Amino acid sequence: MQLQFGKRALDLSLPKVMGVLNRTPDSFSDGGAFIDFDSALRHAEQMAREGAAIIDIGGESTRPGAQAVSVEQELERVIPLIERLAPEIDIPISVDTSKPEVMRAAVAVGAGMINDIYALRQPVALEAACDCDVPMVLMHMQGEPRTMQKSPHYDNVVAEVKQFLEERVRVCEAAGILHTNILIDPGFGFGKTLEHNLELLRRLRELTTLGLPVVVGLSRKSSIGTLLGGLPADQRLHGSVAAAVVAVMNGANIVRAHDVKPTVEVLKVAAAVCGGEC
Ligand code: 8Y7
C-alpha cells in the first residue's frame, strides 16, 4: 500500500507517523504553545527531523467547548505557515480543516493532503476536496465537537463506524474523488466513550477490509488519561505510545501523534516484530 503526493510516494508497508501542529490558542493537548508563527515553524521542522512522514497543521480546536473560528481567522493561522513550510521540508503537509475555503487555499500554497474530521460533510467541502485532488482522511464522528461527548450511543460501535466510513467513501468516489486518494479513520474520542474507544482499538483490524489506509489519532486523548487514573494531557505520553503500538499491531498505517520521536521509535520496534506485515 502506498500514497501518492504529486511526484512523491509514501510507502505504507511500514507504519508512519503524522505529527500534529495546532496553531490554536485552545487545544487541549498543547494549549496554545504554537500560536506564535516562529514557534510553529520550528516545531514543524523538529517533527520532520524526528521522523514524521506527514505534518498535520490545524487552525481550529475541536475540543468540546472550544471557540468556533471564522474562515478568515483559520486562513490567517494556517496559510502563511503552510506557504513557508511546504518548500522547505521534504515531507507532505496535511491541512486539518473542515472548511472548503481553507482546503482550497492550503492546497494552493503547497499542502499535499486534507484531514477532515467531518469527512467532507460540511457544505461544498466535497467539491473543494475533489478539485484539490490530494489524499484525504475521512474521519468518523458521532454528533459535533461541541456536544459529541454528552451521551454517545451505539448498538455496535465497530459496525456503525465501519458503515459510516463505507458510505462516506462511496459518496466521495461518486463525487469524483479517487479511491487511491482516500484514507479512513475511526475518530477515537469523537462521540465515543472509553468503552467505545477500547472496542474500536481492539477490533481495528475489521476496518482494514475496506482496503484503504487506516489513520488513527489516540495521542494524549482523554481515554488515555482516564485509564491512567485521570492524568492530565501533558502526562499521557506513555499511554499514548502504548495505544499507538496496539493500533499498528491491529492494522493502522498512519498514527497521528503530538510526540513524534517517541512514537517513531515505538513503531519501529512494533514493525520489526511484525516483520513488515503489521
Ligand atoms: C483526530 C484528528 C483530531 C483524529 C484525525 C486531537 C484533527 C483532537 N483528532 N484527525 N484531529 N484523527 N484524522 O486530539 O483522531 O488532536 S483533534
Side-chain angles (χ1 to χ4, degrees):
M1 206 176 252
Q2 69 167 35
L3 280 176
Q4 202 63 41
F5 296 92
K7 288 194 215 81
R8 201 155 43 188
L10 180 64
D11 173 23
L12 293 180
S13 60
L14 292 177
K16 294 293 185 290
V17 174
M18 172 191 253
V20 179
L21 183 55
N22 291 318
R23 189 127 198 259
T24 54
D26 53 356
S27 287
F28 80 95
S29 49
D30 47 24
F34 309 113
I35 190 74
D36 172 69
F37 186 87
D38 292 313
S39 314
L41 194 63
R42 279 197 303 273
H43 188 58
E45 291 161 352
Q46 183 183 339
M47 290 193 289
R49 281 195 302 275
E50 290 175 347
I54 302 168
I55 305 281
D56 190 38
I57 300 182
E60 175 171 35
S61 170
T62 48
R63 83 169 183 199
Q67 283 287 315
V69 165
S70 68
V71 173
E72 292 68 32
Q73 197 167 24
E74 201 177 317
L75 288 169
E76 258 171 56
R77 287 182 184 173
V78 301
I79 301 304
L81 188 59
I82 295 171
E83 191 166 27
R84 171 74 178 271
L85 265 174
E88 87 170 49
I89 58 175
D90 60 5
I91 56 173
I93 294 169
S94 157
V95 62
D96 158 16
T97 191
S98 302
K99 296 188 178 75
E101 300 89 341
V102 179
M103 293 174 188
R104 289 185 191 277
V107 170
V109 298
M113 186 175 201
I114 296 168
N115 176 31
D116 182 5
I117 63 162
Y118 279 91
L120 305 176
R121 285 177 294 156
Q122 297 290 46
V124 301
L126 198 55
E127 290 88 322
C130 194
D131 292 346
C132 287
D133 191 28
V134 294
M136 55 200 80
V137 183
L138 305 178
M139 196 195 79
H140 174 272
M141 167 166 59
Q142 184 180 85
E144 50 167 280
R146 204 169 47 81
T147 52
M148 65 191 178
Q149 291 306 100
K150 288 244 161 80
S151 50
H153 173 82
Y154 302 84
D155 292 321
N156 181 336
V157 67
V158 176
E160 288 169 49
V161 166
K162 187 171 172 180
Q163 204 165 43
F164 169 90
L165 292 171
E166 264 175 333
E167 171 65 9
R168 292 311 299 161
V169 170
R170 199 188 57 71
V171 169
C172 289
E173 289 188 15
I177 293 173
L178 296 175
H179 187 77
T180 49
N181 269 345
I182 302 177
L183 301 89
I184 54 171
D185 185 327
F188 288 104
F190 285 84
K192 286 148 192 119
T193 63
L194 170 62
E195 282 67 34
H196 295 142
N197 290 322
L198 290 174
E199 180 154 14
L200 278 166
L201 184 53
R202 190 181 306 123
R203 297 172 54 192
L204 192 67
R205 183 74 63 188
E206 294 176 41
L207 296 183
T208 62
T209 58
L210 298 186
L212 294 165
V214 173
V215 181
V216 296
L218 290 148
S219 183
R220 301 185 189 173
K221 283 192 176 169
S222 67
S223 286
I224 308 272
T226 304
L227 290 172
L228 300 177
L231 279 185
D234 65 355
Q235 291 172 46
R236 297 175 188 163
L237 170 62
H238 303 106
S240 299
V241 295
V245 168
V246 174
V248 303
M249 301 285 293
N250 287 344
N253 302 103
I254 298 179
V255 174
R256 186 175 177 277
H258 301 84
D259 302 284
V260 170
K261 186 167 185 276
T263 309
V264 166
E265 288 178 359
V266 299
L267 295 195
K268 273 187 188 162
V269 174
V273 172
C274 300
E277 281 287 317
C278 270

